[in-house]
Amino acid sequence: MNVYDSEQIEKILAPSGYKMNSSFEVADLIIVNTCAIREKAEQKVFSFLGRLAGLKRRKPNLIIGVGGCVAQQEGDKIMERMPHVDLVFGTHAILRLPYLIERIESERCSIVDVEMSEIIEEFESITESPLDRIDPKVTSFVTIMRGCDNFCTYCVVPHVRGRETSRFPESIVGEVRGLVKTGVREVTLLGQNVNSYGKKENLNSFPQLLARVNEIDGLFRIRFTTSHPKDLSDDLISAFKDLDKLCNHIHLPVQSGSNRILKRMNRKYNRELYLEKIGKLRNNCPGIAITSDIIVGFPGETRADFEETLNLIKEVEFDSIFAFKYSDRPNAPAARFANKITEQEKKDRLQTLLNLQEYFTTKKNRVLVGSNELLLVEGLSKKKVDSDDAQSKYQYVQWTGRTETNKVVNFIQSEATIPRDRILKGKIVNVKIEKAYSHSLLGKPAQVEPTLFTLKGEQSYAA
Ligand code: SAH
Ligand code: SF4
């Protein structure tokens, strides 16, 4: 979501003459877009801001702005801790940025703007036109809703992003169309709980929105995140079968395998319901990849609760997992819960869980060896690979892409199947999987899908 918001910031500041630059030394304006989901992310913000103090002393006209969730949460306190910061703007203040920066430029004042509004229309005006990039992207995030109404007891999001609000479907479709024109072939629709998209506003349902996005010519793939297990509907499960562009992968965060902990987390589903939904997904969408988020060491999590989480992992056999040590967040009720777990215990539990999951991730990857997978090529992988062929003096270029099930596959462009100068970024390539590692796969291209290879302006997607 922050990646998407940073792009909106880039767009909204363009008319004021600001352009992205990779060097802090030459920058006139530095904006730090922050995340408050865990304490560690927040600590990083302050250590980074601390490092900018010297630069500001050398360049007094430099403007330093702090946005995002830490800005929303801490407001004035950021200025107190970091007096070299000129601007603190909250999650709902992005649209006001040009005006705020103009004021700082002319008055050399400092400003804190953390006011929250419930109006979504204001964002629509920025999102319409895509960024004009020199190196166009193949995949893009598109936020379809903001905020959250679920109030899980550990979570800061409802407190810093405000109430759940959905964007208009027309505007989302318009934005995706615009992105496709710039070379984007895959979009990930973002919301804290996409299943409740449009409900409050009486707009399209989420599956209806997906069907509209599915109609967009030139778009190859659709993903979304996140679907809350309590609201995962039969209609959405059917969408995986009915919509050809919707990737066969769902991220379904379970957080814990213990009913006692799920209740204390206010997740509003239990282990049995979660497993029932997994069963439905697997019955209706064969081969669907399932990934999840898990928190270890939630206050009061006993060894037995943790074992239940491990058992759930064994039962489901997720394709992969993001696992986190529980972290107290200001305003989140769990920060006041008793029976906190020690840092060492959380660390040990996290390691045990990751080791277990590694086994399943590798196992799932190994199953793919020998099979053919269609990849959407995202670009060159960093590695240059020496040819196996003794006759060849070339270093082969290695491309990287993802399967529909979101697995990263690297492959070498071999002369036998695809001419070496062929630019594959943004193309669908049929790859035979040859090797499995724990976090990626290695393959060899079989052929380029001819039907998907005839796009106009092919050269403009050059890597
Ligand atoms: N809306 C999404 C989650 C967004 S936050 C959902 O409900 O699934 C992304 C992940 O961060 C969460 O799934 C959770 O696993 C983790 N997370 C959130 N708050 C946390 C906290 N206080 N400590 C540790 N992990 C946390
Ligand atoms: Fe946080 Fe729960 Fe909302 Fe996800 S659903 S953003 S975890 S409050």
Side-chain angles (χ1 to χ4, degrees):
M1 221 155 238
N2 270 12
V3 171
Y4 180 83
D5 285 350
S6 294
E7 286 175 356
Q8 304 311 308
I9 293 173
E10 198 182 336
K11 277 191 220 170
I12 199 166
L13 289 179
S16 313
Y18 285 102
K19 272 197 205 133
M20 281 289 262
N21 194 303
S22 54
S23 157
F24 292 135
E25 289 296 328
V26 302
D28 300 305
L29 166 70
I30 297 177
I31 290 190
V32 188
N33 193 9
T34 64
C35 172
I37 197 80
R38 282 171 291 276
E39 198 184 356
K40 202 163 153 200
E42 196 177 319
Q43 282 163 355
K44 278 191 198 163
V45 173
F46 285 102
S47 71
F48 180 76
L49 288 174
R51 275 184 272 139
L52 293 180
L55 190 64
K56 176 80 177 183
R57 269 196 300 276
R58 276 186 283 123
K59 293 179 60 180
N61 283 340
L62 169 71
I63 299 175
I64 300 177
V66 184
C69 293
V70 178
Q72 187 67 51
Q73 180 184 283
E74 299 296 309
D76 288 335
K77 282 190 251 160
I78 295 183
M79 294 284 190
E80 286 159 25
R81 272 180 78 176
M82 302 280 156
H84 57 286
V85 167
D86 303 281
L87 170 67
V88 174
F89 63 100
T91 51
H92 289 212
I94 292 178
L95 205 86
R96 297 190 285 275
L97 260 185
Y99 156 77
L100 298 170
I101 287 170
E102 208 178 293
R103 258 191 69 200
I104 296 172
E105 282 168 343
S106 59
E107 298 170 30
R108 300 313 309 179
C109 55
S110 51
I111 303 176
V112 177
D113 179 351
V114 287
E115 203 178 305
M116 287 218 180
S117 65
E118 296 306 316
I119 305 158
I120 199 81
E121 287 98 294
E122 61 182 35
F123 286 104
E124 308 294 16
S125 58
I126 344 172
T127 50
E128 268 162 22
S129 49
L131 277 167
D132 192 10
R133 290 183 187 277
I134 303 165
D135 181 18
K137 294 188 304 172
V138 173
T139 62
S140 184
F141 293 119
V142 174
T143 291
I144 62 164
M145 54 210 292
R146 292 174 188 268
C148 183
D149 289 348
N150 285 307
F151 291 94
C152 302
T153 54
Y154 52 80
C155 187
V156 76
V157 172
H159 309 281
V160 289
R161 293 254 172 191
R163 295 290 60 73
E164 184 187 285
T165 327
S166 298
R167 288 179 57 195
F168 296 116
E170 295 72 24
S171 166
I172 296 165
V173 169
E175 185 178 351
V176 177
R177 281 218 176 90
L179 286 167
V180 168
K181 281 196 196 127
T182 70
V184 166
R185 296 287 165 255
E186 175 185 299
V187 288
T188 303
L189 306 180
L190 296 178
Q192 297 299 348
N193 178 14
V194 291
N195 276 295
S196 51
Y197 170 81
K199 278 192 185 151
K200 265 178 35 180
E201 294 83 358
N202 212 4
L203 301 169
N204 285 158
S205 69
F206 183 58
Q208 283 168 335
L209 176 72
L210 284 172
R212 288 178 73 166
V213 176
N214 196 64
E215 295 293 302
I216 297 174
D217 285 339
L219 182 72
F220 295 169
R221 288 181 170 180
I222 307 167
R223 302 184 188 276
F224 62 82
T225 197
T226 298
S227 177
H228 195 303
K230 79 178 161 67
D231 295 321
L232 173 62
S233 64
D234 290 351
D235 280 353
L236 185 55
I237 296 176
S238 300
F240 283 105
K241 282 188 298 181
D242 303 339
L243 305 176
D244 58 332
K245 294 179 185 173
L246 185 59
C247 290
N248 211 16
H249 166 221
I250 187 164
H251 185 63
L252 199 63
V254 64
Q255 312 297 0
S256 170
S258 150
N259 282 342
R260 205 177 65 82
I261 296 296
L262 285 172
K263 198 158 186 23
R264 281 163 64 85
M265 286 177 163
N266 192 31
R267 287 292 284 180
K268 302 187 187 100
Y269 55 84
N270 57 23
R271 180 191 175 100
E272 291 70 30
L273 188 82
Y274 186 84
L275 290 172
E276 191 189 309
K277 302 241 169 168
I278 297 286
K280 261 193 188 169
L281 279 162
R282 291 215 160 117
N283 282 338
N284 286 281
C285 326
I288 192 165
I290 301 175
T291 56
S292 200
D293 290 348
I294 289 179
I295 297 177
V296 299
F298 185 79
E301 183 189 72
T302 60
R303 201 61 223 180
D305 292 319
F306 177 61
E307 292 291 335
E308 288 195 53
T309 301
L310 297 179
N311 286 336
L312 182 115
I313 293 175
K314 289 182 200 156
E315 197 165 339
V316 178
E317 301 200 2
F318 292 106
D319 288 72
S320 70
I321 274 177
F322 294 105
F324 313 100
K325 287 184 285 175
Y326 166 78
S327 161
D328 272 344
R329 303 316 298 130
N331 302 319
R336 297 183 297 276
F337 286 6
N339 301 326
K340 293 279 164 61
I341 310 300
T342 64
E343 222 18 67
Q344 187 56 48
E345 183 61 27
K346 283 195 265 186
K347 215 169 143 196
D348 293 348
R349 288 185 193 180
L350 182 67
Q351 202 48 56
T352 308
L353 190 147
L354 291 175
N355 290 346
L356 175 66
Q357 181 54 39
E358 177 109 356
Y359 167 79
F360 291 112
T361 305
T362 314
K363 179 177 155 188
K364 296 241 161 184
N365 282 351
R366 285 206 185 118
V367 169
L368 294 177
V369 173
S371 71
N372 276 45
E373 291 285 325
L374 291 179
L375 304 189
L376 173 61
V377 181
E378 290 174 16
L380 289 173
S381 82
K382 284 175 194 83
K383 262 204 234 157
K384 281 251 161 50
V385 185
D386 287 322
S387 160
D388 289 342
D389 173 5
Q391 304 294 314
S392 168
K393 293 183 188 63
Y394 293 104
Q395 275 198 319
Y396 279 77
V397 288
Q398 185 166 273
W399 295 94
T400 187
R402 275 169 207 267
T403 63
E404 225 193 285
T405 51
N406 211 28
K407 296 187 198 300
V408 174
V409 183
N410 297 309
F411 69 93
I412 296 163
Q413 186 168 357
S414 107
E415 194 68 34
T417 45
I418 309 170
R420 203 189 303 275
D421 60 354
R422 202 73 195 247
I423 288 151
L424 300 182
K425 184 173 170 185
K427 303 292 185 299
I428 299 277
V429 177
N430 187 347
V431 168
K432 184 166 186 146
I433 307 297
E434 297 192 320
K435 274 194 188 142
Y437 305 103
S438 53
H439 296 287
S440 68
L441 297 152
L442 191 69
K444 203 176 203 171
Q447 62 171 116
V448 178
E449 273 300 282
T451 50
L452 300 175
F453 205 61
T454 52
L455 294 159
K456 276 191 258 163
E458 210 173 275
Q459 292 305 319
S460 66
Y461 314 133

